[in-house]
Amino acid sequence: MKKYQCLATANFGVEAVVKRELQALLGDGGQVQVQDGRVYFKGDFKEIYKANLYLRTAERVHIVLHTFMAKTFEDLYQGVKEINWPEILPKDANFMVQGRSAKSQLFSVSDCQRITERALIDRLNEKYSMSFYPKSGARYKIEVILFKDQAQILLDTSGDGLHKRGYRKATVEAPLTETLASALVQLSFYKKDRILLDPFCGSGTIPIEAAMLARNIAPGLNRHFDCEYFKQMDPDWVKDLRKEAFSKIDYTGDLKIYASDKSREAIEAAKKNAEEAGVDQDILFSQEKIEDLNIPGPYGVLISNPPYGVRLSTEEEVDRLYENLKSLYQKDDTWSYYLITSDESFPRKFGKEPSRKRKLYNGRIKVDYYQYYGPRPD
Ligand SMILES: C[S@@+](CC[C@H](N)C(=O)[O-])C[C@H]1O[C@@H](n2cnc3c(N)ncnc32)[C@H](O)[C@@H]1O
């Protein structure tokens, strides 16, 4: 089967986790490499579908159709026309061209989109010679990206972003993206046999992602991807790969995942979402304030996103909350703490420098992930 150069996009700071996930999924044949914060790999259509179905921390999976220098519209036109479009798109493809440009001579995105579409249609016409393309079939999202005068033409195989797992039916204010929540868990010491606690669980994203990881539930099982409807994809492969993913779900053993929040609405939302994700039996939810919480056992891992910002709480409330978190931390020195926040005063107010700090992004908001390592269990 033909292998394509592919690109799994990821939020800043998460690329290494995406790389690890891809290597585990595709082995050496995937030729996974990180370049300028982007994760490239080689894959055929089955592997592209698998990447969409199984990757927990990537934002989207693209096929890289062509990369070339484009300083003029003529360069762009010729480069796009070199792509074998009739091999990629069926006659009725619902193709759409999106664009981005940075640090490039071709800075008018709308003109780049127009030229790309023109070149694409001219190449299609060499085979189909149609005066009108009905666009009544499957969606093919094409992206033209210009960076430092280099053009990259991508085909989006995911459709909706991969953070849309399909389980988040109910939400609260300031939820984490599902992809970031999974990265937080994968960057922590959490393992299936250890305790995990999120005392500010909101809509439950962190505990749900942890339970899906522990149960080996493929994150894409609740949704569909654009590539399922591409002409290159055999519907039987999709059926078989989904069946295989279902057969890998591991319901053996009990998980020790605890999720609490002071808000009744948040707990209701989190329970509903966990049910949608198929992990409601794996998480013990409780409506509790951080100040009333007890530690459920030794060697646990606390991963959380404490409230911060004008929408959520006042300065004094935040200070009090950090004091309560600190008291909890001091109750048991076998625990590891992982806290994500955009509040740069966090370590000072928490009263301890982290073992490690990572810079990450929650959507467009810059956040820090403060990691406090406890001892490993004996
Ligand atoms: C930033 S949100 C967490 C969002 C969550 N990670 C998600 O993905 O939906 C912070 C949560 O802390 C809760 N909270 C605020 N003060 C609290 C307290 N004293 N004890 C427990 N929960 C509290 C809020 O109700 C809110 O749901």
Side-chain angles (χ1 to χ4, degrees), residues 60-123:
R60 275 169 202 282
V61 176
H62 302 269
I63 295 175
V64 182
L65 297 173
H66 199 10
T67 306
F68 53 95
M69 290 305 290
K71 291 189 175 180
T72 65
F73 287 126
E74 182 59 20
D75 295 341
L76 181 63
Y77 177 86
Q78 293 303 339
V80 175
K81 208 164 167 229
E82 274 170 31
I83 299 168
N84 189 351
W85 291 106
E87 189 189 288
I88 299 157
L89 304 177
K91 263 189 206 166
D92 66 348
N94 179 17
F95 55 87
M96 49 192 76
V97 180
Q98 295 165 336
R100 265 183 290 148
S101 172
K103 299 181 183 169
S104 298
Q105 294 185 34
L106 297 182
F107 58 84
S108 162
V109 172
S110 57
D111 284 330
C112 292
Q113 284 171 252
R114 195 173 42 79
I115 300 282
T116 302
E117 183 153 343
R118 183 73 261 154
L120 178 162
I121 290 173
D122 286 351
R123 182 70 196 258

Side-chain angles (χ1 to χ4, degrees), residues 32-224:
V32 185
Q33 37 171 308
V34 178
Q35 242 178 51
D36 304 328
R38 312 178 101 203
V39 190
Y40 290 94
F41 67 99
K42 292 249 173 357
D44 58 32
F45 258 87
K46 272 189 182 178
E47 289 166 328
I48 290 167
Y49 183 77
K50 275 173 95 168
N52 276 296
L53 184 62
Y54 286 99
L55 288 181
R56 296 177 195 275
T57 54
E59 295 302 317
R60 275 169 202 282
V61 176
H62 302 269
I63 295 175
V64 182
L65 297 173
H66 199 10
T67 306
F68 53 95
M69 290 305 290
K71 291 189 175 180
T72 65
F73 287 126
E74 182 59 20
D75 295 341
L76 181 63
Y77 177 86
Q78 293 303 339
V80 175
K81 208 164 167 229
E82 274 170 31
I83 299 168
N84 189 351
W85 291 106
E87 189 189 288
I88 299 157
L89 304 177
K91 263 189 206 166
D92 66 348
N94 179 17
F95 55 87
M96 49 192 76
V97 180
Q98 295 165 336
R100 265 183 290 148
S101 172
K103 299 181 183 169
S104 298
Q105 294 185 34
L106 297 182
F107 58 84
S108 162
V109 172
S110 57
D111 284 330
C112 292
Q113 284 171 252
R114 195 173 42 79
I115 300 282
T116 302
E117 183 153 343
R118 183 73 261 154
L120 178 162
I121 290 173
D122 286 351
R123 182 70 196 258
L124 283 182
N125 275 341
E126 286 175 7
K127 177 158 186 215
Y128 302 136
S129 49
M130 307 218 309
S131 57
F132 168 73
Y133 287 87
K135 297 193 177 183
S136 55
R139 178 169 73 170
Y140 287 75
K141 283 202 281 178
I142 292 145
E143 268 190 85
V144 46
I145 295 173
L146 282 136
F147 184 66
K148 293 186 178 166
D149 296 324
Q150 191 181 62
Q152 203 169 41
I153 311 296
L154 305 176
L155 173 61
D156 180 354
T157 70
S158 305
D160 287 337
L162 295 182
H163 67 277
K164 292 199 176 160
R165 318 285 207 216
Y167 68 71
R168 192 141 77 187
K169 301 287 185 217
T171 191
V172 296
E173 236 181 319
L176 286 178
T177 61
E178 295 80 342
T179 41
L180 179 61
S182 184
L184 301 184
V185 175
Q186 294 189 57
L187 288 167
S188 79
F189 286 168
Y190 177 65
K191 292 275 170 315
K192 192 176 174 177
D193 56 347
R194 285 183 79 162
I195 297 171
L196 184 139
L197 166 67
D198 180 356
F200 307 107
C201 75
S203 59
T205 325
I206 295 171
I208 291 170
E209 288 295 325
M212 287 174 74
L213 185 71
R215 291 289 181 218
N216 208 19
I217 300 174
L221 273 174
N222 244 337
R223 58 161 285 173
H224 295 279

Side-chain angles (χ1 to χ4, degrees), residues 168 171-177 181 198-206 260-263 266 288-291 304-308 312-313 321 324:
R168 192 141 77 187
T171 191
V172 296
E173 236 181 319
L176 286 178
T177 61
D198 180 356
F200 307 107
C201 75
S203 59
T205 325
I206 295 171
S260 52
D261 197 289
K262 72 169 186 185
S263 147
E288 254 172 305
K289 286 186 174 171
I290 180 95
E291 39 274 50
S304 203
N305 167 213
Y308 177 66
L312 284 166
S313 25
L321 201 121
N324 288 316

